[in-house]
Amino acid sequence: MTTTVQETAPPQRARGAAIRRHELAAFLRSRRERITPEQVGLPRGTRRRTPGLRREEVAQLSAVGVTWYTWLEQARDIQVSVQVLDALARALRLDASERAHLFQLAGTTDPTPAASCPSITPALREMLTRLEPIPACIQNSRYDILAYNRTYGRLLGDLDAVPPEDRNCMLLVHTHEEWQQAVVHLEETQRLMAARLRAALAGHLGEPAWKMLLKRLQESAAFRENWQRYEVVATRSRYKEFRNPHVGLLTLEHTDLWLSPESGARMVTYTPRDEVTRERLERLYALTCGAPAR
């Protein structure tokens, strides 16, 4: 007697995953085809048939393998890390809604504070406002800038013009030209911040958001050099000097006000160390009164 085993239908979860992979593939193709080579600093060439970017160009811009990216657009069943999704989102110039859609199709959560910001209460925002003209912001242990007042938004450049997912002090001091020009002791600051980041990392090993930040920081030669020193520095208050493009040199006292028992979220303030800086902060605040607090 022969027994026939009927093939069972795939689980609903597997069907849903397959649908998401095909939607993700179609979404990536549509975003790739809308970007011209000139927009990302690539030559167009004379034999281009593909509308927008080629697959290999997206792979190059995202620092992923061409074969791997091709499989992604073919809806292959492959694992996608948040670091790769972040790189693709930046290479394809996705806005906040498109970025959220990308992570949702990939079946994962965007760990950036722009997508999942801890609750900043109205009381904290009121405190930031009341501190004007003293520059102040709220950061987490990863140096993500979660909220800030008007003066802080213009302290080292135009923070409002920076995409929310890039508002990270570590990234800005290593990759943002305007911020780098504003920091008087740039090399010392970069080395100190790398040491502080390594100290904070010990409690967050393996977390996707931290891995994503470290991957982006590897683009900076200065960070790579300092990171290999394996230096660790505890948080401490100290004075800083900034060259503000609107009011000139500012000499400030940096203070961290911790918002929880753990070394997590903190309010960062910069108080003036002399009367010249105090007057210049007041002028800077006056210049920013037309800009909304964030």
Side-chain angles (χ1 to χ4, degrees), residues 4-292:
T4 303
V5 180
Q6 293 184 346
E7 184 177 348
T8 58
Q12 184 174 359
R13 182 180 298 179
R15 290 200 300 269
I19 292 172
R20 281 201 307 272
R21 287 198 304 272
H22 282 86
E23 287 292 323
L24 175 61
F27 180 66
L28 288 172
R29 285 194 299 270
S30 70
R31 301 303 89 179
R32 170 171 61 84
E33 292 173 355
R34 73 173 182 174
I35 299 177
T36 65
E38 293 84 357
Q39 287 179 290
V40 293
L42 295 175
R44 169 167 290 277
T46 57
R47 299 183 178 180
R48 181 174 295 270
R49 300 175 185 174
T50 304
L53 297 177
R54 301 185 178 101
R55 286 175 175 172
E56 56 266 29
E57 291 171 332
V58 174
Q60 174 189 342
L61 292 169
S62 308
V64 301
V66 177
T67 300
W68 187 92
Y69 180 76
T70 300
W71 286 350
L72 196 58
E73 280 203 7
Q74 291 174 345
R76 300 277 190 98
D77 187 4
I78 57 176
Q79 295 296 317
V80 188
S81 69
V82 294
Q83 299 98 298
V84 169
L85 290 172
D86 173 67
L88 289 173
R90 289 184 287 112
L92 295 172
R93 301 193 169 192
L94 303 187
D95 61 24
S97 297
E98 293 169 333
R99 182 185 174 94
H101 186 62
L102 174 70
F103 277 81
Q104 187 174 25
L105 289 176
T108 189
T109 302
D110 184 356
T112 61
S116 55
C117 179
S119 177
I120 303 297
T121 65
L124 288 175
R125 294 191 183 278
E126 177 72 9
M127 289 177 65
L128 290 175
T129 301
R130 294 293 181 179
L131 283 169
E132 302 276 19
I134 292 175
C137 70
I138 296 175
Q139 298 178 18
N140 58 19
S141 57
R142 204 171 52 243
Y143 288 87
D144 296 317
I145 302 170
L146 308 178
Y148 54 94
N149 61 17
R150 293 186 179 96
T151 316
Y152 184 87
R154 296 295 185 275
L155 183 62
L156 292 95
D158 186 358
L159 190 56
D160 293 345
V162 176
E165 62 269 19
D166 293 341
R167 290 175 191 163
N168 175 284
C169 290
M170 195 68 61
L171 276 176
L172 291 168
V173 81
H174 284 93
T175 64
H176 196 282
E177 184 177 354
E178 190 175 26
W179 271 59
Q180 292 174 332
Q181 291 175 348
V183 178
V184 174
H185 307 288
L186 179 61
E187 293 184 4
E188 177 187 347
T189 298
Q190 289 175 330
R191 182 170 179 175
L192 175 63
M193 290 182 69
R196 291 178 64 177
L197 184 69
R198 185 173 285 282
L201 177 64
H204 303 276
L205 294 172
E207 292 183 16
W210 286 75
K211 292 169 66 176
M212 191 167 68
L213 173 61
L214 289 173
K215 180 178 176 62
R216 294 192 63 184
L217 286 169
Q218 292 299 321
E219 300 171 7
S220 165
F223 178 81
R224 293 196 303 271
E225 178 182 348
N226 289 325
W227 195 245
Q228 290 303 314
R229 296 177 185 270
Y230 283 86
E231 294 176 335
V232 177
V233 175
T235 301
R236 63 171 184 257
S237 298
R238 61 189 297 274
Y239 83 92
K240 293 189 177 181
E241 291 182 311
F242 299 135
R243 299 185 194 90
N244 184 271
H246 303 290
V247 298
L249 181 67
L250 299 169
T251 305
L252 304 160
E253 186 78 29
H254 170 203
T255 304
D256 288 324
L257 305 173
W258 300 100
L259 303 179
S260 63
E262 301 82 15
S263 296
R266 62 191 182 276
M267 182 174 291
V268 180
T269 63
Y270 292 98
T271 53
R273 286 176 59 89
D274 53 54
E275 286 303 315
V276 173
T277 296
R278 186 181 304 277
E279 185 273 335
R280 289 176 178 176
L281 283 180
E282 291 174 355
R283 285 169 49 201
L284 181 61
Y285 173 60
L287 290 171
T288 65
C289 282

